[in-house]
Short mmCIF file of all heavy atoms in Angstrom, two decimals:
data_model
loop_
_atom_site.label_atom_id
_atom_site.label_comp_id
_atom_site.label_asym_id
_atom_site.label_seq_id
_atom_site.Cartn_x
_atom_site.Cartn_y
_atom_site.Cartn_z
N ASP A 1122 110.13 68.27 109.16
CA ASP A 1122 110.30 69.59 109.68
C ASP A 1122 108.92 70.26 110.06
O ASP A 1122 107.93 69.76 109.59
CB ASP A 1122 110.89 70.50 108.66
CG ASP A 1122 112.30 70.29 108.36
OD1 ASP A 1122 113.17 70.69 109.03
OD2 ASP A 1122 112.47 69.61 107.37
N ALA A 1123 108.95 71.04 111.12
CA ALA A 1123 107.79 71.87 111.52
C ALA A 1123 108.20 73.34 111.58
O ALA A 1123 109.30 73.64 112.04
CB ALA A 1123 107.28 71.37 112.83
N VAL A 1124 107.28 74.11 111.17
CA VAL A 1124 107.57 75.59 111.17
C VAL A 1124 106.54 76.26 112.13
O VAL A 1124 105.30 76.07 111.95
CB VAL A 1124 107.32 76.24 109.77
CG1 VAL A 1124 107.47 77.70 109.78
CG2 VAL A 1124 108.42 75.52 108.85
N VAL A 1125 106.99 76.93 113.14
CA VAL A 1125 106.13 77.51 114.15
C VAL A 1125 106.05 78.97 113.77
O VAL A 1125 106.96 79.69 113.53
CB VAL A 1125 106.76 77.33 115.53
CG1 VAL A 1125 105.88 78.20 116.56
CG2 VAL A 1125 106.82 75.88 115.93
N ILE A 1126 104.74 79.51 113.58
CA ILE A 1126 104.44 80.79 113.13
C ILE A 1126 103.74 81.55 114.23
O ILE A 1126 102.53 81.15 114.62
CB ILE A 1126 103.59 80.75 111.83
CG1 ILE A 1126 104.21 79.84 110.76
CG2 ILE A 1126 103.50 82.15 111.23
CD1 ILE A 1126 103.39 79.43 109.67
N PRO A 1127 104.22 82.72 114.79
CA PRO A 1127 103.68 83.28 115.86
C PRO A 1127 102.41 84.12 115.61
O PRO A 1127 102.09 84.31 114.48
CB PRO A 1127 104.79 84.23 116.35
CG PRO A 1127 105.52 84.56 115.02
CD PRO A 1127 105.43 83.32 114.25
N GLY A 1128 101.80 84.48 116.75
CA GLY A 1128 100.80 85.44 116.68
C GLY A 1128 101.36 86.90 116.81
O GLY A 1128 102.58 87.18 116.70
N PRO A 1133 107.05 82.72 119.25
CA PRO A 1133 107.27 81.33 119.06
C PRO A 1133 107.63 80.54 120.31
O PRO A 1133 107.57 79.31 120.38
CB PRO A 1133 108.33 81.22 118.06
CG PRO A 1133 108.95 82.49 118.08
CD PRO A 1133 107.97 83.42 118.51
N LEU A 1137 101.69 78.03 124.28
CA LEU A 1137 100.90 77.25 123.25
C LEU A 1137 101.76 76.82 122.06
O LEU A 1137 101.75 75.71 121.66
CB LEU A 1137 99.78 78.14 122.75
CG LEU A 1137 98.51 78.20 123.64
CD1 LEU A 1137 97.51 79.20 123.08
CD2 LEU A 1137 97.80 76.84 123.76
N LEU A 1138 102.50 77.82 121.58
CA LEU A 1138 103.33 77.48 120.40
C LEU A 1138 104.59 76.63 120.78
O LEU A 1138 104.99 75.74 120.01
CB LEU A 1138 103.84 78.81 119.67
CG LEU A 1138 102.72 79.51 118.94
CD1 LEU A 1138 103.19 80.89 118.57
CD2 LEU A 1138 102.38 78.82 117.66
N MET A 1139 105.18 76.88 121.92
CA MET A 1139 106.32 76.27 122.37
C MET A 1139 105.99 74.72 122.45
O MET A 1139 106.69 73.85 121.96
CB MET A 1139 106.84 76.75 123.65
CG MET A 1139 108.14 76.02 124.08
SD MET A 1139 108.76 76.47 125.72
CE MET A 1139 107.56 75.77 126.84
N TYR A 1140 104.92 74.37 123.25
CA TYR A 1140 104.63 73.06 123.51
C TYR A 1140 104.09 72.31 122.24
O TYR A 1140 104.39 71.07 121.97
CB TYR A 1140 103.53 72.79 124.58
CG TYR A 1140 104.15 73.05 125.94
CD1 TYR A 1140 103.91 74.20 126.71
CD2 TYR A 1140 105.06 72.09 126.37
CE1 TYR A 1140 104.58 74.37 127.91
CE2 TYR A 1140 105.69 72.30 127.72
CZ TYR A 1140 105.35 73.39 128.47
OH TYR A 1140 105.95 73.54 129.72
N ALA A 1141 103.37 72.94 121.37
CA ALA A 1141 103.00 72.36 120.08
C ALA A 1141 104.16 71.97 119.28
O ALA A 1141 104.14 70.89 118.60
CB ALA A 1141 102.01 73.30 119.36
N GLY A 1142 105.15 72.94 119.18
CA GLY A 1142 106.30 72.63 118.45
C GLY A 1142 107.19 71.47 119.22
O GLY A 1142 107.75 70.71 118.45
N ASP A 1143 107.12 71.45 120.51
CA ASP A 1143 107.84 70.50 121.15
C ASP A 1143 107.23 69.03 120.92
O ASP A 1143 107.94 68.03 120.80
CB ASP A 1143 107.75 70.53 122.74
CG ASP A 1143 108.64 71.81 123.21
OD1 ASP A 1143 109.51 72.32 122.44
OD2 ASP A 1143 108.46 72.18 124.33
N VAL A 1144 105.91 68.98 120.68
CA VAL A 1144 105.25 67.68 120.24
C VAL A 1144 105.88 67.19 118.95
O VAL A 1144 106.29 66.04 118.81
CB VAL A 1144 103.77 67.80 120.06
CG1 VAL A 1144 103.27 66.55 119.38
CG2 VAL A 1144 103.08 68.20 121.40
N ALA A 1145 106.16 68.06 117.92
CA ALA A 1145 106.76 67.68 116.77
C ALA A 1145 108.22 67.34 116.92
O ALA A 1145 108.67 66.31 116.38
CB ALA A 1145 106.62 68.85 115.73
N GLU A 1146 108.92 68.08 117.80
CA GLU A 1146 110.28 67.74 118.09
C GLU A 1146 110.49 66.44 118.66
O GLU A 1146 111.42 65.65 118.33
CB GLU A 1146 110.89 68.92 118.85
CG GLU A 1146 112.41 68.88 119.05
CD GLU A 1146 112.90 70.08 119.77
OE1 GLU A 1146 112.45 70.43 120.91
OE2 GLU A 1146 113.83 70.75 119.14
N ALA A 1150 111.19 65.64 114.56
CA ALA A 1150 111.25 66.76 113.61
C ALA A 1150 112.21 67.81 113.96
O ALA A 1150 112.48 68.01 115.17
CB ALA A 1150 109.83 67.40 113.51
N VAL A 1152 112.46 71.55 114.30
CA VAL A 1152 111.44 72.70 114.42
C VAL A 1152 112.08 74.04 114.22
O VAL A 1152 113.09 74.33 114.78
CB VAL A 1152 110.81 72.68 115.91
CG1 VAL A 1152 109.84 73.81 116.12
CG2 VAL A 1152 110.13 71.39 116.18
N HIS A 1153 111.38 74.77 113.41
CA HIS A 1153 111.94 76.18 112.98
C HIS A 1153 110.99 77.12 113.57
O HIS A 1153 109.75 77.10 113.16
CB HIS A 1153 111.98 76.26 111.40
CG HIS A 1153 112.70 75.11 110.78
ND1 HIS A 1153 114.04 75.20 110.57
CD2 HIS A 1153 112.29 73.91 110.36
CE1 HIS A 1153 114.47 74.10 109.94
NE2 HIS A 1153 113.47 73.32 109.84
N ARG A 1154 111.41 77.92 114.55
CA ARG A 1154 110.44 78.77 115.18
C ARG A 1154 110.76 80.21 114.66
O ARG A 1154 111.82 80.75 114.76
CB ARG A 1154 110.78 78.77 116.73
CG ARG A 1154 110.53 77.43 117.25
CD ARG A 1154 110.89 77.33 118.83
NE ARG A 1154 110.82 76.03 119.30
CZ ARG A 1154 109.69 75.33 119.70
NH1 ARG A 1154 108.50 75.99 119.59
NH2 ARG A 1154 109.81 74.09 120.13
N TYR A 1155 109.70 80.76 114.03
CA TYR A 1155 109.84 82.00 113.28
C TYR A 1155 109.46 83.21 114.21
O TYR A 1155 108.43 83.09 114.99
CB TYR A 1155 108.87 81.99 111.98
CG TYR A 1155 109.15 83.18 111.16
CD1 TYR A 1155 110.31 83.23 110.30
CD2 TYR A 1155 108.26 84.30 111.21
CE1 TYR A 1155 110.58 84.34 109.64
CE2 TYR A 1155 108.53 85.41 110.37
CZ TYR A 1155 109.67 85.35 109.55
OH TYR A 1155 109.93 86.48 108.80
N VAL A 1177 106.78 84.35 105.85
CA VAL A 1177 106.88 82.94 106.22
C VAL A 1177 107.39 82.15 105.04
O VAL A 1177 108.13 81.07 105.22
CB VAL A 1177 105.70 82.34 106.83
CG1 VAL A 1177 105.81 80.97 107.18
CG2 VAL A 1177 105.38 83.13 108.11
N ILE A 1181 109.73 78.50 104.76
CA ILE A 1181 109.21 77.26 104.30
C ILE A 1181 109.94 76.76 102.98
O ILE A 1181 110.32 75.55 102.87
CB ILE A 1181 107.73 77.39 104.03
CG1 ILE A 1181 106.99 77.64 105.30
CG2 ILE A 1181 107.17 76.17 103.32
CD1 ILE A 1181 105.57 78.08 105.17
N PRO A 1188 106.67 70.54 105.31
CA PRO A 1188 106.68 70.71 106.80
C PRO A 1188 105.36 70.83 107.41
O PRO A 1188 104.33 71.28 106.64
CB PRO A 1188 107.50 72.02 106.93
CG PRO A 1188 107.21 72.81 105.74
CD PRO A 1188 107.18 71.72 104.65
N LEU A 1189 105.24 70.55 108.64
CA LEU A 1189 104.00 70.72 109.40
C LEU A 1189 104.07 72.21 109.78
O LEU A 1189 105.02 72.74 110.27
CB LEU A 1189 103.99 69.87 110.63
CG LEU A 1189 102.90 70.13 111.69
CD1 LEU A 1189 101.57 69.83 111.27
CD2 LEU A 1189 103.31 69.45 113.06
N LEU A 1190 102.98 72.93 109.53
CA LEU A 1190 102.86 74.41 109.91
C LEU A 1190 102.08 74.40 111.34
O LEU A 1190 101.03 73.67 111.47
CB LEU A 1190 102.12 75.20 108.95
CG LEU A 1190 102.75 75.23 107.52
CD1 LEU A 1190 101.95 76.20 106.71
CD2 LEU A 1190 104.22 75.57 107.59
N ILE A 1191 102.58 75.21 112.25
CA ILE A 1191 101.95 75.41 113.52
C ILE A 1191 101.83 76.85 113.78
O ILE A 1191 102.90 77.58 113.86
CB ILE A 1191 102.76 74.79 114.67
CG1 ILE A 1191 102.98 73.24 114.43
CG2 ILE A 1191 102.09 75.07 116.05
CD1 ILE A 1191 104.03 72.65 115.40
N GLY A 1192 100.65 77.43 113.67
CA GLY A 1192 100.44 78.92 113.63
C GLY A 1192 99.38 79.24 114.70
O GLY A 1192 98.54 78.59 115.07
N LYS A 1193 99.63 80.51 115.37
CA LYS A 1193 98.76 80.93 116.29
C LYS A 1193 98.21 82.37 115.75
O LYS A 1193 98.88 83.25 115.36
CB LYS A 1193 99.41 81.30 117.61
CG LYS A 1193 98.86 82.14 118.63
CD LYS A 1193 98.11 81.43 119.60
CE LYS A 1193 97.54 82.36 120.69
NZ LYS A 1193 96.34 83.15 120.43
N SER A 1194 96.90 82.52 115.82
CA SER A 1194 96.23 83.72 115.63
C SER A 1194 96.69 84.42 114.25
O SER A 1194 96.42 83.93 113.17
CB SER A 1194 96.46 84.72 116.80
OG SER A 1194 95.69 85.79 116.61
N GLY A 1196 99.38 84.22 112.80
CA GLY A 1196 100.03 83.24 112.00
C GLY A 1196 99.12 82.31 111.15
O GLY A 1196 99.64 81.68 110.24
N THR A 1197 97.87 82.33 111.60
CA THR A 1197 96.91 81.48 110.86
C THR A 1197 96.64 82.04 109.43
O THR A 1197 96.03 81.40 108.58
CB THR A 1197 95.69 81.18 111.50
OG1 THR A 1197 94.84 82.48 111.73
CG2 THR A 1197 95.91 80.52 112.89
N ALA A 1199 98.79 82.13 107.39
CA ALA A 1199 99.61 81.23 106.51
C ALA A 1199 98.74 80.08 106.02
O ALA A 1199 99.32 79.24 105.41
CB ALA A 1199 100.80 80.80 107.35
N ALA A 1203 99.48 76.89 103.32
CA ALA A 1203 99.17 75.50 103.53
C ALA A 1203 98.29 74.95 102.46
O ALA A 1203 98.55 73.80 101.98
CB ALA A 1203 98.58 75.36 104.96
N PRO A 1209 100.16 69.94 106.08
CA PRO A 1209 99.49 69.73 107.17
C PRO A 1209 99.67 70.85 108.17
O PRO A 1209 100.70 71.43 108.13
CB PRO A 1209 99.91 68.39 107.78
CG PRO A 1209 101.36 68.34 107.20
CD PRO A 1209 101.36 69.09 106.00
N ALA A 1210 98.64 71.08 109.09
CA ALA A 1210 98.87 72.23 109.95
C ALA A 1210 98.06 72.08 111.26
O ALA A 1210 97.18 71.33 111.38
CB ALA A 1210 98.35 73.48 109.23
N VAL A 1211 98.56 72.79 112.24
CA VAL A 1211 97.99 72.97 113.53
C VAL A 1211 97.69 74.48 113.65
O VAL A 1211 98.65 75.28 113.70
CB VAL A 1211 98.81 72.48 114.70
CG1 VAL A 1211 98.23 72.83 115.99
CG2 VAL A 1211 99.11 70.97 114.54
N TRP A 1212 96.46 74.89 113.78
CA TRP A 1212 96.11 76.25 113.83
C TRP A 1212 95.48 76.52 115.21
O TRP A 1212 94.42 76.10 115.57
CB TRP A 1212 95.16 76.67 112.69
CG TRP A 1212 95.56 76.39 111.36
CD1 TRP A 1212 95.05 75.64 110.34
CD2 TRP A 1212 96.83 76.91 110.69
NE1 TRP A 1212 95.76 75.72 109.25
CE2 TRP A 1212 96.83 76.54 109.33
CE3 TRP A 1212 97.80 77.86 111.13
CZ2 TRP A 1212 97.84 76.78 108.48
CZ3 TRP A 1212 98.74 78.15 110.30
CH2 TRP A 1212 98.76 77.68 108.98
N LEU A 1213 96.28 77.34 116.01
CA LEU A 1213 95.89 77.60 117.43
C LEU A 1213 95.12 78.91 117.34
O LEU A 1213 95.75 79.92 116.85
CB LEU A 1213 97.11 77.64 118.30
CG LEU A 1213 97.91 76.42 118.24
CD1 LEU A 1213 99.32 76.71 118.93
CD2 LEU A 1213 97.23 75.27 118.94
N LEU A 1234 94.41 70.74 112.23
CA LEU A 1234 93.71 70.84 113.58
C LEU A 1234 93.38 72.20 113.88
O LEU A 1234 94.31 73.14 113.70
CB LEU A 1234 94.68 70.27 114.61
CG LEU A 1234 94.30 70.47 116.13
CD1 LEU A 1234 93.01 69.65 116.44
CD2 LEU A 1234 95.46 70.06 116.98
N VAL A 1282 95.60 71.00 124.93
CA VAL A 1282 96.04 71.26 123.63
C VAL A 1282 97.21 70.34 123.14
O VAL A 1282 97.12 69.95 122.08
CB VAL A 1282 96.50 72.79 123.51
CG1 VAL A 1282 97.13 73.13 122.16
CG2 VAL A 1282 95.26 73.69 123.73
N VAL A 1286 97.04 68.01 119.96
CA VAL A 1286 98.19 67.96 118.86
C VAL A 1286 98.75 66.57 118.69
O VAL A 1286 98.88 66.11 117.53
CB VAL A 1286 99.30 69.05 119.17
CG1 VAL A 1286 100.50 68.82 118.15
CG2 VAL A 1286 98.68 70.41 119.21
N PHE A 1289 96.21 64.40 117.01
CA PHE A 1289 96.02 64.83 115.55
C PHE A 1289 97.19 64.26 114.67
O PHE A 1289 96.94 63.65 113.68
CB PHE A 1289 96.06 66.30 115.47
CG PHE A 1289 96.14 66.90 114.02
CD1 PHE A 1289 95.14 66.66 113.06
CD2 PHE A 1289 97.35 67.53 113.62
CE1 PHE A 1289 95.34 67.16 111.73
CE2 PHE A 1289 97.49 68.03 112.37
CZ PHE A 1289 96.54 67.84 111.39
N LEU A 1290 98.45 64.39 115.19
CA LEU A 1290 99.62 63.94 114.51
C LEU A 1290 99.50 62.42 114.34
O LEU A 1290 99.89 61.82 113.32
CB LEU A 1290 100.84 64.41 115.13
CG LEU A 1290 101.08 65.84 115.10
CD1 LEU A 1290 102.43 66.31 115.68
CD2 LEU A 1290 100.98 66.46 113.59
N TRP A 1295 101.71 61.38 111.12
CA TRP A 1295 102.76 62.29 110.97
C TRP A 1295 103.95 61.99 111.86
O TRP A 1295 103.76 62.05 113.12
CB TRP A 1295 102.41 63.77 111.17
CG TRP A 1295 103.38 64.79 110.64
CD1 TRP A 1295 103.55 65.26 109.46
CD2 TRP A 1295 104.37 65.36 111.42
NE1 TRP A 1295 104.52 66.18 109.32
CE2 TRP A 1295 105.09 66.32 110.64
CE3 TRP A 1295 104.70 65.38 112.81
CZ2 TRP A 1295 106.19 67.07 111.07
CZ3 TRP A 1295 105.81 66.13 113.18
CH2 TRP A 1295 106.50 66.93 112.40
#
Side-chain angles (χ1 to χ4, degrees):
D1122 290 276
V1124 175
V1125 176
I1126 308 164
L1137 282 171
L1138 287 166
M1139 182 183 75
Y1140 284 110
D1143 288 351
V1144 170
E1146 189 171 55
V1152 178
H1153 309 269
R1154 298 179 191 275
Y1155 189 76
V1177 177
I1181 295 170
L1189 171 71
L1190 302 186
I1191 302 170
K1193 163 97 174 78
S1194 187
T1197 65
V1211 171
W1212 302 122
L1213 306 167
L1234 169 65
V1282 172
V1286 173
F1289 168 70
L1290 296 181
W1295 193 86

